[in-house]
Amino acid sequence: MRVIIFGATGMVGQGVLRECLVDDRVEAVLTVGRTPTGRTHDKLREITHGDLLDLTPIEADLSGYDACFFCLGVSSAGMSEKDYRRVTYDYTLAAGDTLARLSPGSTFVYVSGVGTDEHGRAMWARVKGQTENALLALPLEAFMFRPGYIQPMHGVTSRTTWYRLAYVAMAPLYPVLRRLFPKAVTTTEQIGRAMITVAERGAPRRVLGPLEINAL
């Protein structure tokens, strides 16, 4: 398969990129983002594009791919709803609308989160829920990944300092968390492998929580 990854410099995106590069089911990877990943690989091609609301200048490069793994996102902490919506909804739909037009029927996997609900009380949950619904309405094979706690693997790190320190501290406890809360925890490796599996053969449901992600 040929896949596009948005947000490959974030923690989830790093993990997904790593799994795409080591998996024989993936023959080519295109990353799109505002900063380069710093990775080199025979499968990998990168596009650095500053305005993710306008993909018109790079549309020709986005054709001919089987799947898009959209891993771009930010924490809502300290953000206004307007700014959070711009990154979470507007960036995502700019990619979704473009790929629905260029490659209708292709797979689009969006990383959301446990607790997403367009009618929820939390601002982030509402915005992500609206984003999910908008993607599901497009002529794409769209799947929503809703992970809970994500343990980074294989040297993957968060770009946020306090997240990074917290993940290091939690690493020894991950096996315990996995046994105690199998429906709430996953890893960057499992998310990446599950995305590739969904692109290859779909999934029983369009909205997938940690348990379904791990099973895939």
Side-chain angles (χ1 to χ4, degrees), residues 9 62 125 148 172 184 206 212:
T9 59
L62 302 179
R206 291 298 183 98
E212 291 86 7

Side-chain angles (χ1 to χ4, degrees), residues 99-106 139-140:
L99 293 172
R101 180 164 42 81
L102 296 176
S103 303
S106 61
L140 294 166

Side-chain angles (χ1 to χ4, degrees), residues 148-169:
Y149 175 80
I150 305 169
Q151 180 62 40
M153 306 288 284
H154 306 296
V156 168
T157 59
S158 172
R159 297 173 68 184
T160 304
T161 301
W162 72 271
Y163 277 7
R164 185 164 59 248
L165 296 174
Y167 283 123
V168 171

Side-chain angles (χ1 to χ4, degrees), residues 111-206:
V111 180
S112 183
V114 166
T116 293
D117 180 359
E118 70 168 334
H119 302 297
R121 297 180 65 181
M123 178 270 285
W124 72 265
R126 293 196 307 274
V127 174
K128 285 201 168 188
Q130 292 161 9
T131 305
E132 286 187 349
N133 289 339
L135 290 172
L136 289 168
L138 294 175
L140 294 166
E141 290 295 312
F143 296 89
M144 309 298 115
F145 273 36
R146 291 184 178 180
Y149 175 80
I150 305 169
Q151 180 62 40
M153 306 288 284
H154 306 296
V156 168
T157 59
S158 172
R159 297 173 68 184
T160 304
T161 301
W162 72 271
Y163 277 7
R164 185 164 59 248
L165 296 174
Y167 283 123
V168 171
M170 290 295 293
L173 299 176
Y174 175 71
V176 177
L177 292 174
R178 184 177 58 192
R179 286 195 296 271
L180 294 177
F181 308 104
K183 295 183 179 181
V185 300
T186 188
T187 69
T188 52
E189 178 182 6
Q190 288 173 306
I191 290 174
R193 293 172 65 184
M195 284 191 182
I196 297 167
T197 298
V198 166
E200 180 185 39
R201 55 181 172 84
R205 300 172 56 190
R206 291 298 183 98

Side-chain angles (χ1 to χ4, degrees), residues 43-66:
K43 291 184 184 181
L44 178 61
R45 181 187 172 208
E46 294 193 277
I47 295 178
T48 302
H49 183 66
D51 185 1
L52 295 180
L53 289 176
D54 181 11
L55 301 178
T56 306
I58 62 170
E59 275 194 8
D61 297 295
L62 302 179
S63 297
Y65 286 84
D66 303 293

